[in-house]
Amino acid sequence: MTTTTLTLSEHTDTSAISDSAIALLDERGTVVAWTRAAERLVGYSACDAVGRSAAPVLPSLGEAPTMSAFVEKCRDDNGWSGTTDVRDRHGRTVDVGLRFSTVRGQDGTTRWLASVGDVGAMSGKAGNKAMRGALLTRAPIGIVVRDRQLRCTWANDVMEDHDGIPLHLRLGQRFTDVLPGTKAEALEGVMRQVLRSGTTKVHEYRTWLPTNLGPEHPFAASFHCLQGADGQPLGVCVISVDVTESRRVRERLAVLGEAGARLGSTLDVMQTSQELADLAVPLLADYVAVDLEQAVPFGEGPPVRIGPGERQPVFRRAGLASIHRGVPESVWVRGEPVPVPPDSPFSEVLCTGRTHLEPILDTAPGLWIDKIPALARKVHEHGVHSLMIVPIRARRTVLGMVVFVRTQDPVPFQEADRLLAEELVNRAAVSLDNARQYAREHTAALALQRNLLPSRLRGGTAVEAASRYLPADVDHGVGGDWFDVIPLSGARVGLVVGDVVGHGLHAAAAMGRLRTAVQTLADMDLPPDELMAHLDDTVQRLADEDDDETPAAVGATCLYAVYDPATRRCTMARAGHPPPAVIDPRGRVSFPELPTGTPLGIGLGVPFESVELELPEGSLLALYTDGLIETRGHDIDEGMHRLGTSLAQPGRSLEDLCDLATEPYPDQAPCDDVTLLLVRTRSLDPAQVASWTLPSDDTAARRARHLATFQLDEWGLEGLEESTKLIVSELVTNAVRHSTGPIGLRLIHHHVLTCEVFDTDVCSPHLRRARTVDENGRGLFLVAQMSRRWGSRSVTGGKVVWAEAELASAS
């Protein structure tokens, strides 16, 4: 007996059926009924579609050349499902999951129900299109088509598995005729509502499966209004899905998303193999073993090719996972060699390169399993009944195999399981192949260089930036040049170019250490001359730590500049580096006279000096390495003149200027790495900056709050008033308490809101957590909580303490 409980679904994900576009086709592929969802998907109304062939909407019909051939193929296969394209009335195509299901009527007649859903909308970003479509479209669905009087006219065989009503008892009957009761009446009430409104309704109900006396199964049912050629309702199509299976499908899709994040996070092939096994248990299998060709972890030896007659590799166990503690199903532990029995599914996989799927494992005596007695014993002890072996392949090379086994799960592996297993293994194969390639020095060198140079330049409101890096060693692309654009507080920006003598991995490694050091020192808001002094100390310390096999960065040069768009002033210092080129908005070129400074790490003890310039808005600043201006046959002065001439074109874009400036001399290969950083300066509108001088007394904090409130109202940032008043109050209060003389307050409105407070005390503030009994010490803690970041920097005559707030908070 079947019992049904009807409840409105609030927790079940029913988008796969509620958003489906439904069309009913006859045996020739002609549309006989249409839905509003189908009209939304392809733009054809029921008047346009009913009575016409579905072929114009379905340009991709598998391998069938015509609609009739496709219908014939569906008849032979009892339906079709997969991913394809549909074409809307404007000629655009949409990737969809498409299912053709057979529905049967009286006298043995058949119709085809086409259900189409946007694969991306149904499943998010997890997995590729083919994988998502295969999993979603293969989930079994029950279908019933009823006329306006709610009598069943068509149904598929799956419905009997859902509610236990045979097809011959269902056809021609209303639901209340075959299953009387208030629950059936409620469902018919939903159908009538759908007929009246022409829309789609989704409900969830629970029932005991006819063959199952255990727990109830939840089903999600969607009710679609079918329209005729006149656009009027013809009847209702009811599609029901076993929610348990639907949830399982979506869990698998979620695992594919997790696999994208977890697999490939390391270049350790053993760890990647274990991650693959852990992902698959218990979602897909009760036991998983990952076996790698023994040379894969070391990137050595010739690759193992797929195909008959190829050499038989030696495998080692790299990953193990089981639903049982200790993995008792495994004969071999991680790291042990694993034999490949001849004339077995394993050798077949190596020969064909295709997955071996054995839903019901044949364990009869005398088969391949008996050739390994220890393996046969494990198979019988743990009740292994279903098996998949998936090759790990990369560019027709075998990296290994993955064995999926079911023991306690009574359901055999099916086609959808194979698709999921292959997708997981393919993702792992990419990571494993990358790890093998990374073992080679050439790949390691390229990866190092890519990671050491900035992927994009962030000039903020201060500068527009562009760059070029041209290694002298084109084959390896590794050298010691670097550049950076570093956002600083108060809308300022740090600009740096450096050069470590030499090429190859050692120079690149030394460059990476120096670039990191510069970023750290710049984050401390040190003036350029002080930053150079600290960087010089860092290079000397690294030289003392390095041994003969990893030479230090002795001979490195560097230029560091800080540009402030509020004042249009640029402060620079250099350590043995070529001077910058400055091109004003009219195209006039100059190379400022900066104290040369000694190269980093020399240890002469000569102090570095800074020079401050005022740059007109729109000035071009070029920082470069000596490879750009010094070549064989051309001296430095000629190179500097050539650089200035190529940049003295105010109307050109930065990218064009980079190309012009780095164009090599004719018929002369570069002898050194070439690096160029170009920035075009911007300035803040005076209306974006507000500054005041406050007395150092008890009225300062109140005055600061009032000024800040007034200014934020002027800028339309009322949403930041409360947090900004708290910040300026705490900073000004600290300035009054710890300094003498006037106090400066400045607000800057750029991509963030910056609050700056100047005082004459040179000691930097430090954040600490106040104890319950402390009366002070909570001000900076509050500032840190109310701002996105805060800090301090030394300036002439004292220091500036600053804090930044996101403008998004103002809305």
Side-chain angles (χ1 to χ4, degrees):
M1 180 177 179
T2 302
T3 302
T4 302
T5 303
L6 178 67
T7 58
L8 184 64
S9 172
E10 295 180 351
H11 307 290
T12 303
D13 184 357
T14 56
S15 62
I17 56 175
S18 63
D19 294 336
S20 295
I22 303 298
L24 190 64
L25 314 179
D26 66 14
E27 291 184 315
R28 297 183 301 275
T30 301
V31 179
V32 296
W34 200 245
T35 59
R36 288 185 181 178
E39 180 178 355
R40 288 194 297 270
L41 181 66
V42 296
Y44 292 103
S45 66
C47 301
D48 300 324
V50 175
R52 293 177 172 83
S53 171
V57 179
L58 299 170
S60 175
L61 304 175
E63 299 177 355
T66 64
M67 189 68 203
S68 59
F70 179 67
V71 171
E72 187 65 31
K73 183 177 185 300
C74 291
R75 183 180 295 108
D76 294 340
D77 298 339
N78 196 29
W80 185 90
S81 63
T83 56
T84 185
D85 295 331
V86 296
R87 182 181 293 125
D88 66 15
R89 69 180 306 153
H90 302 294
R92 295 186 295 264
T93 58
V94 181
D95 294 332
V96 297
L98 172 65
R99 183 201 303 262
F100 272 87
S101 304
T102 307
V103 290
R104 309 185 191 282
Q106 293 178 336
D107 303 325
T109 55
T110 60
R111 291 288 184 268
W112 298 98
L113 189 89
S115 55
V116 183
D118 188 327
V119 171
M122 288 189 291
S123 55
K125 299 180 179 179
N128 60 32
K129 182 184 75 172
M131 184 66 201
R132 297 193 303 263
L135 287 177
L136 289 169
T137 58
R138 290 179 189 271
I141 62 172
I143 302 171
V144 174
V145 177
R146 298 184 180 275
D147 60 18
R148 290 183 58 86
Q149 287 72 42
L150 304 184
R151 294 171 300 199
C152 176
T153 55
W154 309 95
N156 70 344
D157 298 333
V158 177
M159 275 308 303
E160 184 174 352
D161 298 330
H162 285 192
D163 58 19
I165 303 172
L167 181 63
H168 69 278
L169 296 180
R170 186 191 309 273
L171 290 171
Q173 303 294 316
R174 290 172 45 182
F175 193 40
T176 52
D177 295 333
V178 295
L179 192 65
T182 58
K183 311 301 187 300
E185 292 174 359
L187 286 173
E188 287 195 348
V190 175
M191 298 179 201
R192 293 189 185 95
Q193 184 180 0
V194 168
L195 283 173
R196 288 194 300 269
S197 64
T199 57
T200 299
K201 297 290 185 181
V202 178
H203 280 264
E204 181 184 340
Y205 64 94
R206 295 180 176 272
T207 181
W208 282 280
L209 295 178
T211 58
N212 184 10
L213 298 178
E216 290 180 309
H217 269 236
F219 290 88
S222 62
F223 302 81
H224 305 260
C225 179
L226 296 176
Q227 297 175 320
D230 56 359
Q232 297 301 311
L234 286 179
V236 178
C237 176
V238 183
I239 298 179
S240 61
V241 176
D242 186 335
V243 174
T244 304
E245 178 64 21
S246 177
R247 285 171 178 166
R248 187 175 184 182
V249 167
R250 293 182 182 278
E251 286 173 0
R252 293 177 175 184
L253 291 173
V255 166
L256 292 183
E258 183 182 356
R262 289 178 56 180
L263 294 177
S265 61
T266 174
L267 291 173
D268 186 330
V269 296
M270 297 293 286
Q271 182 176 339
T272 299
S273 300
Q274 187 58 47
E275 288 173 347
L276 172 60
D278 292 337
L279 277 170
V281 175
L283 169 82
L284 183 59
D286 298 328
Y287 163 78
V288 170
V290 181
D291 298 330
L292 295 181
E293 199 273 329
Q294 65 174 357
V296 169
F298 310 103
E300 300 172 350
V304 179
R305 299 295 180 183
I306 298 172
E310 299 291 348
R311 70 182 180 91
Q312 194 80 324
V314 177
F315 289 95
R316 290 188 181 275
R317 186 132 292 176
L320 276 174
S322 169
I323 60 174
H324 300 110
R325 185 184 298 274
V327 198
E329 303 95 331
S330 181
V331 179
W332 301 279
V333 299
R334 293 184 72 198
E336 284 189 338
V338 178
V340 178
D343 301 323
S344 68
F346 298 95
S347 57
E348 175 191 338
V349 168
L350 289 177
C351 183
T352 63
R354 293 191 295 269
T355 297
H356 173 81
L357 171 60
E358 197 167 350
I360 307 299
L361 179 63
D362 191 350
T363 58
L367 296 179
W368 66 271
I369 296 177
D370 291 337
K371 297 178 181 179
I372 307 178
L375 177 60
R377 186 173 60 253
K378 293 287 188 180
V379 167
H380 292 293
E381 284 179 358
H382 296 281
V384 175
H385 66 85
S386 194
L387 171 72
M388 284 192 299
I389 306 172
V390 182
I392 307 173
R393 299 174 299 172
R395 295 190 293 271
R396 288 191 54 79
T397 298
V398 175
L399 303 181
M401 291 184 289
V402 185
V403 182
F404 299 86
V405 165
R406 280 185 178 166
T407 56
Q408 289 193 357
D409 187 344
V411 180
F413 287 122
Q414 300 175 4
E415 186 68 12
D417 300 313
R418 179 187 68 81
L419 292 169
L420 177 62
E422 288 179 344
E423 180 70 13
L424 287 173
V425 172
N426 288 341
R427 290 175 182 237
V430 174
S431 303
L432 293 170
D433 188 51
N434 287 341
R436 183 184 59 161
Q437 296 297 325
Y438 191 81
R440 307 177 191 276
E441 181 176 346
H442 175 68
T443 303
L446 291 177
L448 178 64
Q449 188 69 28
R450 284 195 302 268
N451 286 293
L452 290 179
L453 292 177
S455 58
R456 64 188 183 95
L457 303 176
R458 298 181 299 159
T461 56
V463 297
E464 175 192 2
S467 64
R468 290 293 183 273
Y469 170 70
L470 305 176
D473 187 351
V474 178
D475 292 333
H476 294 87
V478 176
D481 287 9
W482 89 92
F483 59 92
D484 230 336
V485 177
I486 307 171
L488 302 175
S489 64
R492 299 170 306 130
V493 67
L495 310 170
V496 60
V497 165
D499 183 5
V500 176
V501 176
H503 305 285
L505 285 174
H506 293 314
M511 173 268 284
R513 299 165 87 175
L514 292 188
R515 178 173 179 243
T516 300
V518 171
Q519 289 178 329
T520 302
L521 295 170
D523 194 56
M524 297 169 61
D525 261 334
L526 296 177
D529 54 343
E530 291 186 28
L531 184 143
M532 285 298 174
H534 284 284
L535 189 62
D536 186 44
D537 293 339
T538 299
V539 173
Q540 293 184 54
R541 186 179 69 254
L542 294 177
D544 294 337
E545 295 174 355
D546 290 333
D547 55 33
D548 294 337
E549 295 182 358
T550 56
V554 175
T557 64
C558 184
L559 188 150
Y560 180 69
V562 174
Y563 174 69
D564 187 347
T567 62
R568 292 186 289 103
R569 303 195 71 82
C570 184
T571 307
M572 312 176 191
R574 60 174 174 153
H577 203 81
V582 178
I583 299 89
D584 69 14
R586 296 183 179 181
R588 293 176 295 190
V589 181
S590 63
F591 292 85
E593 291 291 334
L594 302 183
T596 303
T598 58
L600 300 171
I602 299 300
L604 299 180
V606 178
F608 297 93
E609 298 180 56
S610 293
V611 171
E612 187 174 81
L613 306 174
E614 183 171 346
L615 302 177
E617 181 177 2
S619 296
L620 188 66
L621 189 62
L623 282 65
Y624 52 91
T625 56
D626 56 7
L628 182 62
I629 60 173
E630 187 177 10
T631 60
R632 295 187 181 97
H634 302 276
D635 60 24
I636 293 179
D637 291 337
E638 183 179 353
M640 294 174 69
H641 176 75
R642 182 173 184 259
L643 172 63
T645 302
S646 62
L647 297 179
Q649 303 181 54
R652 304 294 290 268
S653 69
L654 292 186
E655 295 293 334
D656 289 344
L657 293 176
C658 281
D659 291 337
L660 291 172
T662 56
E663 185 176 349
Y665 283 95
D667 302 323
Q668 182 174 329
C671 58
D672 197 2
D673 300 336
V674 172
T675 298
L676 173 65
L677 174 62
L678 284 184
V679 298
R680 182 168 282 130
T681 64
R682 300 165 175 158
S683 63
L684 293 177
D685 190 293
Q688 294 179 265
V689 182
S691 56
W692 305 272
T693 299
L694 306 173
S696 183
D697 56 29
D698 294 339
T699 65
R702 184 173 66 255
R703 174 67 174 162
R705 290 192 297 270
H706 174 75
L707 293 171
T709 300
F710 175 82
Q711 189 59 55
L712 292 182
D713 289 341
E714 287 287 317
W715 286 336
L717 302 178
E718 293 84 354
L720 293 176
E721 285 184 3
E722 293 302 319
S723 59
T724 303
K725 286 194 296 183
L726 187 148
I727 290 171
V728 300
S729 181
E730 293 296 339
L731 296 183
V732 170
T733 298
N734 284 345
V736 171
R737 181 178 296 123
H738 299 291
S739 69
T740 59
I743 295 169
L745 171 63
R746 184 168 74 159
L747 300 181
I748 305 174
H749 179 201
H750 49 121
H751 67 278
V752 295
L753 175 68
T754 302
C755 306
E756 296 182 342
V757 173
F758 165 82
D759 63 60
T760 57
D761 182 28
V762 296
C763 297
S764 299
H766 297 285
L767 180 66
R768 66 185 181 90
R769 186 177 294 274
R771 297 172 300 177
T772 305
V773 296
D774 291 342
E775 296 183 1
N776 299 309
R778 296 179 178 84
L780 287 179
F781 180 80
L782 290 174
V783 170
Q785 296 297 308
M786 300 299 294
S787 60
R788 67 189 290 264
R789 63 175 190 147
W790 74 280
S792 67
R793 64 178 183 269
S794 298
V795 295
T796 303
K799 69 174 183 299
V800 169
V801 184
W802 54 269
E804 293 177 351
E806 295 281 4
L807 295 183
S809 304
S811 57

